[in-house]
Amino acid sequence: MKLTHTFVTLLAAGLCSLPAGALAQSAKELEELRNELKALRAELNQLKAQQAQAPAASASAWNDRIDAVELKQKDAVVLGDIPGSFRLPGSETSIRVYGFAEANLIKDFKGTAPGDNFSNLAEQPLGKSDNGKTVLTGQTSRFGFETSTPMGNGAFNTKIEADFYGYCGSECNRNRLRLRHAYGEYAGWLIGQTWSTFMDLDNLPETVDFNGPPGATSRRPTMVRYTYNNPQLAKFQFALEEPSDGAHSPNLIARVDKGFDWGSLSARILSHEQRISGVSKRGMGLGLSGAYKLTGTTTLMGQYTLMDGDNDGAYLVGANYPVVDGSTLRLDRAQGVVLGLANVFSEKLRGTVSMGWVRSRNRLGDAYVSAYGDTGNLRLLQWHAGLYYTPIKNVELGGELLGGRRTTYGGATGDMTRLNLQARYLFN
């Protein structure tokens, strides 16, 4: 096109530079020149029109390809920012769906405690008993999802989880949906329901038994919690947690955690109100725990808990409940210890042995025991020995033998021995 345009320009210049004699050519020759110039101009215009149409056609083709790619992208599954997650279409939010289907076969070789399919040593029948029952249940199956959305000051995270082991009293079984976790978390703040800040879940031994040994904390209250994490120093947490039934003020908890190459340490303090029939008293709690890596595959863990009263039996599992004595609310001062030794034998086999111990600091003749009665628990001792085997991916087969003894203030005892077999099918 540039050559043609140049040619026309030169031709026009040449015509203009002809001498007067040449311009006096015959009319026929001039007409031929005019026609040739018109033809050249028409050819130039045609070339310009073709050049203008080519980019439009090219852009249209590119737009079609872009639309096709975007359509495929909308239908595709894009990996999210958290492990096992995917990105919601048209959003920056990553979502992970998880859970498992689980079945447990439980055989009691001695008496069976009421109120729970799993271990409940605090209510183990007293005296000699060989009439334990067999239970087969899938009620501890669970599902949940968690999300993560990038924000200006880190990620905004949420979690909702439920199982089918909701307690509904002696009038029915536990086969109903139960909320386990429901919270949002951003910039160090957590608001919602999840594991208590007073509970050290990381240093709690794994058991096939759903409840695990007494002597530690197992509570999921609604809370407001702030976390400040300084990797060079420690992680600090402060929380207001849902109080026990009837209490007017929230429970106050402060916690500090520190990780090391050889393991971890945690310390916690608790101030909580107990209130029964309008009578109130505030109690204190202390928790210490940690883990030590004996080898690359073996870990020793331990927890110690000291608690003044516990109306819902969750800040110290196995402690006696508060009791009203006239115009005074008396709290059972109890202490608990949990020890565990975990070992990973191979990629497919792991095992844990653990022990839980709870002891009341009261005795016969104390004001608390006189008000509560001698059927209260002086001491609980429970042990676990279990294995998990993974024959194929996402399938776990567990087996555990556990036993224990309950001793009351009055000296009566109740023994527990049971076998728990489990099959678990995990997704994500």
Side-chain angles (χ1 to χ4, degrees):
M1 183 207 72
K2 289 184 177 180
L3 291 176
T4 305
H5 180 69
T6 303
F7 174 77
V8 173
T9 303
L10 292 174
L11 178 62
L15 291 174
C16 293
S17 62
L18 289 174
L23 291 174
Q25 299 183 46
S26 65
K28 182 177 180 181
E29 290 176 344
L30 289 174
E31 185 66 21
E32 290 177 355
L33 288 173
R34 291 191 185 99
N35 291 337
E36 184 177 358
L37 181 59
K38 289 180 179 179
L40 289 173
R41 290 185 180 277
E43 182 180 353
L44 176 61
N45 291 335
Q46 183 179 6
L47 290 173
K48 288 182 178 180
Q50 291 177 355
Q51 183 186 27
Q53 292 176 0
S58 177
S60 176
W62 276 104
N63 288 335
D64 290 343
R65 292 185 64 185
I66 292 173
D67 290 341
V69 171
E70 290 180 345
L71 182 61
K72 290 181 179 179
Q73 184 177 13
K74 290 180 179 179
D75 294 335
V77 176
V78 181
L79 294 179
D81 298 328
I82 52 180
S85 69
F86 62 91
R87 191 78 56 83
L88 290 175
S91 170
E92 294 184 354
T93 298
S94 303
I95 182 170
R96 171 179 175 258
V97 182
Y98 66 93
F100 54 77
E102 180 178 276
N104 285 273
L105 172 63
I106 304 164
K107 170 59 181 176
D108 269 313
F109 299 103
K110 297 184 184 295
T112 300
D116 204 324
N117 289 331
F118 298 91
S119 64
N120 182 22
L121 186 61
E123 299 183 44
Q124 185 68 21
L126 299 172
K128 185 177 180 180
S129 176
D130 297 322
N131 298 318
K133 66 179 182 181
T134 300
V135 175
L136 184 60
T137 178
Q139 296 167 348
T140 54
S141 300
R142 74 181 63 162
F143 66 93
F145 64 87
E146 55 184 356
T147 71
S148 180
T149 305
M151 306 287 283
N153 191 21
F156 176 73
N157 303 316
T158 67
K159 183 174 184 176
I160 296 180
E161 180 181 297
D163 65 12
F164 302 90
Y165 200 54
Y167 184 70
C168 57
S170 59
E171 72 278 3
C172 61
N173 62 34
R174 288 177 173 262
N175 193 17
R176 60 193 297 180
L177 190 66
R178 176 182 66 164
L179 181 66
R180 291 172 56 87
H181 303 276
Y183 64 83
E185 188 177 23
Y186 178 65
W189 290 95
L190 182 149
I191 301 177
Q193 176 178 314
T194 189
W195 294 115
S196 170
T197 312
F198 195 73
M199 179 180 182
D200 186 1
L201 185 65
D202 293 334
N203 294 321
L204 196 63
E206 179 184 36
T207 61
V208 177
D209 176 65
F210 185 73
N211 290 338
T217 303
S218 182
R219 195 172 194 256
R220 288 186 297 267
T222 303
M223 70 182 71
V224 177
R225 180 168 73 200
Y226 179 72
T227 300
Y228 171 74
N229 190 9
N230 185 334
Q232 303 301 322
L233 183 59
K235 182 172 73 174
F236 301 90
Q237 294 182 313
F238 307 91
L240 300 177
E241 295 192 355
E242 176 187 357
S244 301
D245 291 341
H248 291 176
S249 60
N251 300 331
L252 309 176
I253 300 174
R255 172 174 177 165
V256 58
D257 293 87
K258 177 65 175 177
F260 304 92
D261 293 338
W262 50 263
S264 62
L265 292 173
S266 174
R268 305 166 298 281
I269 56 173
L270 161 72
S271 174
H272 62 129
E273 179 195 3
Q274 301 294 313
R275 183 181 292 269
I276 300 177
S277 302
V279 183
S280 175
K281 188 173 183 179
R282 182 162 289 275
M284 299 296 293
L286 170 68
L288 301 172
S289 55
Y292 182 75
K293 299 176 183 178
L294 298 175
T295 68
T297 60
T298 306
T299 303
L300 175 67
M301 61 200 77
Q303 302 200 15
Y304 172 78
T305 306
L306 177 65
M307 186 65 58
D308 291 336
D310 190 359
N311 196 28
D312 54 14
Y315 277 123
L316 176 54
V317 176
N320 296 304
Y321 296 139
V323 60
V324 176
D325 183 10
S327 60
T328 302
L329 183 63
R330 302 198 181 277
L331 307 180
D332 178 25
R333 298 201 69 194
Q335 55 188 344
V337 174
V338 174
L339 297 174
L341 183 66
N343 187 67
V344 178
F345 300 99
S346 67
E347 292 183 356
K348 294 189 174 183
L349 184 66
R350 67 183 188 273
T352 305
V353 292
S354 59
M355 180 275 296
W357 174 81
V358 180
R359 185 181 180 90
S360 173
R361 301 178 70 178
N362 296 296
R363 297 287 189 276
L364 281 175
D366 291 346
Y368 174 83
V369 178
S370 297
Y372 191 96
D374 63 1
T375 58
N377 294 320
L378 171 65
R379 182 173 57 253
L380 302 175
L381 178 64
Q382 183 171 314
W383 55 268
H384 298 248
L387 291 171
Y388 268 110
Y389 175 62
T390 305
I392 57 176
K393 184 179 180 181
N394 293 348
V395 175
E396 292 183 343
L397 303 178
E400 183 176 71
L401 185 66
L402 60 153
R405 168 165 288 192
R406 167 195 178 192
T407 304
T408 68
Y409 291 122
T413 61
D415 294 329
M416 174 190 69
T417 305
R418 58 166 45 190
L419 176 68
N420 191 344
L421 301 179
Q422 182 184 95
R424 178 183 291 169
Y425 312 97
L426 301 101
F427 57 91
N428 201 0

